[in-house]
């Protein structure tokens, strides 16, 4: 795929998702970065600000199959990956596939289910496959987990362990919309019921899995010069920087690509020491200090 075509595709996705989800241009862009980099996304934000709608609309515009799992304390691993069921007519076990067999999987309120069920996603997120009773079942090449969690309500939750957090390439913070965006939301959706139909909004797929595979090959060919590679190593990200450069129409990575992705890539990988936490320091402040101390190549 030519870079101009990839950039055009990116603009189409931004426009179509943005016609439904207002004020989230940066997060839509980062979702596209994550998809092309074969990563997964953790969305953090209070209820009612469009996290689910963002995931649904993004899946519809990229032509990917979408499924949702509402994570609850009583959810079992088999409810996620599926199970082998005995078929009396065939006198054999058959696989009853769980919702994980999709392309865009919304893991809603992932921290409300116990670690045993959270761990059902680990193999799928890392290897893009599921193993049941010793048999491996591959997942789609377009497999993308979009998980959500509430940052302020902790009663009855199970914080994600570091191993699970590391499976997410990006952590995006979804904040309350600005007043102008809220007004625009009312004007667009105020007269509609909660069951939004994409066909009524003229929202359709602008690509398919074959197109995305072609786009990923373009991303993989983006040049990462040695000075930039050293800079990337210093702040630990690569695939996302390549994807960001390609979506910007460049076949090479620049320091600004790395800087723009630092917060979403590192905010969930930095553990703030108790002493620093008492002083009010946050993970994002720590990340900002890292980039301030790291000299960018010229």
């Amino acid at each position: 795929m030519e870079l101009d075509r990839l950039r055009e595709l990116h603009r189409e996705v931004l426009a179509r998702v943005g016609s439904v989800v207002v004020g989230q241009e940066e997060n839509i862009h980062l979702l596209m970065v994550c998809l092309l980099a074969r990563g997964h996304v953790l969305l953090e934000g209070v209820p009612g600000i469009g996290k689910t709608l963002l995931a649904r609309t993004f899946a519809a515009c990229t032509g990917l199959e979408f499924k949702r799992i509402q994570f609850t304390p009583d959810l079992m691993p088999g409810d996620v990956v599926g199970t082998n069921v005995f078929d009396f007519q065939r006198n054999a076990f058959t696989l009853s596939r769980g919702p994980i067999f999709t392309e865009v999987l919304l893991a809603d309120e992932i921290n409300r289910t116990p670690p045993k069920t959270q761990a059902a996603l680990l193999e799928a997120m890392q290897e893009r496959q599921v193993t049941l009773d010793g048999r491996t079942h591959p997942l789609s090449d377009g497999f993308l987990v979009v998980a959500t969690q509430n940052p302020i309500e902790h009663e009855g939750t199970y914080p994600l362990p570091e191993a699970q957090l590391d499976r997410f390439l990006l952590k995006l913070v979804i904040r309350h919309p600005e007043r102008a965006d809220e007004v625009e939301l009312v004007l667009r959706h105020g007269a509609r019921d909660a069951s939004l139909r994409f066909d009524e909004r003229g929202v359709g797929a602008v690509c398919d899995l074959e197109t995305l595979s072609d786009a990923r090959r373009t991303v993989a060919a983006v040049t990462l010069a040695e000075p930039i590679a050293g800079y990337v190593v210093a702040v630990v990200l690569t695939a996302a920087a390549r994807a960001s450069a390609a979506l910007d129409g460049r076949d090479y990575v620049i320091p600004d690509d790395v800087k723009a992705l630092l917060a979403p890539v590192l905010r969930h990988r930095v553990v703030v020491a108790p002493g620093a936490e008492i002083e009010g320091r946050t993970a994002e402040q720590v990340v900002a200090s890292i980039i301030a101390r790291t000299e960018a190549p010229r």
Side-chain angles (χ1 to χ4, degrees):
M1 178 182 290
E2 297 292 332
L3 282 171
D4 288 344
R5 170 59 186 138
L6 178 55
R7 197 173 187 186
E8 178 188 349
L9 177 65
H10 182 223
R11 284 196 295 263
E12 290 176 359
V13 171
L14 285 173
R16 295 206 182 188
V17 179
S19 70
V20 175
V21 183
V22 179
Q24 297 291 341
E25 290 79 8
E26 179 64 17
N27 287 325
I28 299 168
H29 164 72
L30 290 172
L31 274 171
M32 195 68 180
V33 167
C34 197
L35 179 62
L36 294 180
R38 300 175 185 270
H40 305 284
V41 182
L42 179 62
L43 300 181
E44 184 175 273
V46 297
I49 55 175
K51 300 186 296 295
T52 298
L53 182 62
L54 175 59
R56 281 184 58 211
T57 311
F58 183 77
C61 291
T62 50
L64 299 175
E65 182 186 15
F66 174 84
K67 288 184 182 177
R68 172 184 177 179
I69 305 175
Q70 184 65 50
F71 279 78
T72 57
D74 60 347
L75 195 74
M76 299 297 290
D79 298 325
V80 177
V81 300
T83 186
N84 284 311
V85 178
F86 189 76
D87 186 336
F88 286 94
Q89 291 184 336
R90 298 174 53 192
N91 197 34
F93 283 95
T94 59
L95 174 62
S96 175
R97 297 190 171 209
I100 202 169
F101 288 90
T102 186
E103 291 172 328
V104 176
L105 176 68
L106 176 63
D108 211 0
E109 296 187 289
I110 190 173
N111 58 334
R112 287 203 173 277
T113 200
K116 181 178 181 180
T117 305
Q118 291 175 3
L121 291 172
L122 288 174
E123 180 186 13
M125 294 174 71
Q126 183 68 30
E127 307 293 340
R128 281 177 166 73
Q129 65 182 32
V130 171
T131 302
L132 285 168
D133 295 336
R135 186 176 177 184
T136 299
H137 306 273
L139 298 173
S140 168
D141 195 46
F143 183 65
L144 167 72
V145 173
V146 181
T148 72
Q149 64 179 16
N150 183 341
I152 60 173
E153 190 176 334
H154 301 293
E155 185 176 352
T157 63
Y158 304 84
L160 296 177
E162 283 78 6
Q164 186 102 37
L165 283 171
D166 193 54
R167 294 295 197 276
F168 294 99
L169 176 62
L170 305 179
K171 177 183 175 181
L172 308 183
V173 178
I174 311 295
R175 296 183 170 87
H176 283 287
E178 300 292 336
R179 184 180 185 280
D181 292 333
E182 287 188 296
V183 171
E184 181 62 25
L185 280 168
V186 172
L187 292 174
R188 290 190 193 183
H189 305 299
R192 301 175 183 272
D193 59 27
S195 57
L196 176 69
R197 292 176 59 89
F198 291 128
D199 54 352
E200 294 176 354
R201 300 290 306 177
V203 173
V206 300
C207 59
D208 54 22
L209 188 56
E210 184 179 350
T211 306
L212 288 173
S213 297
D214 194 13
R216 284 170 171 169
R217 286 190 288 271
T218 302
V219 168
V222 169
T223 301
L224 192 68
E226 187 173 343
I228 301 293
Y231 188 49
V232 166
V233 168
V235 292
V236 297
L237 69 148
T238 302
R242 276 195 166 107
S244 182
L247 290 174
D248 201 35
R250 286 177 282 104
D251 61 355
Y252 54 90
V253 175
I254 61 175
D256 284 348
D257 295 320
V258 181
K259 289 181 181 179
L261 292 164
L262 275 177
V265 168
L266 294 180
R267 60 165 57 104
H268 57 300
R269 293 183 166 94
V270 173
V271 179
V272 181
E277 207 167 20
I278 291 172
E279 294 172 1
R281 297 195 69 190
T282 65
E284 293 196 13
Q285 290 173 335
V286 172
V287 170
S289 68
I290 291 172
I291 194 60
R293 295 196 308 265
T294 307
E295 184 177 357
R298 300 182 184 277

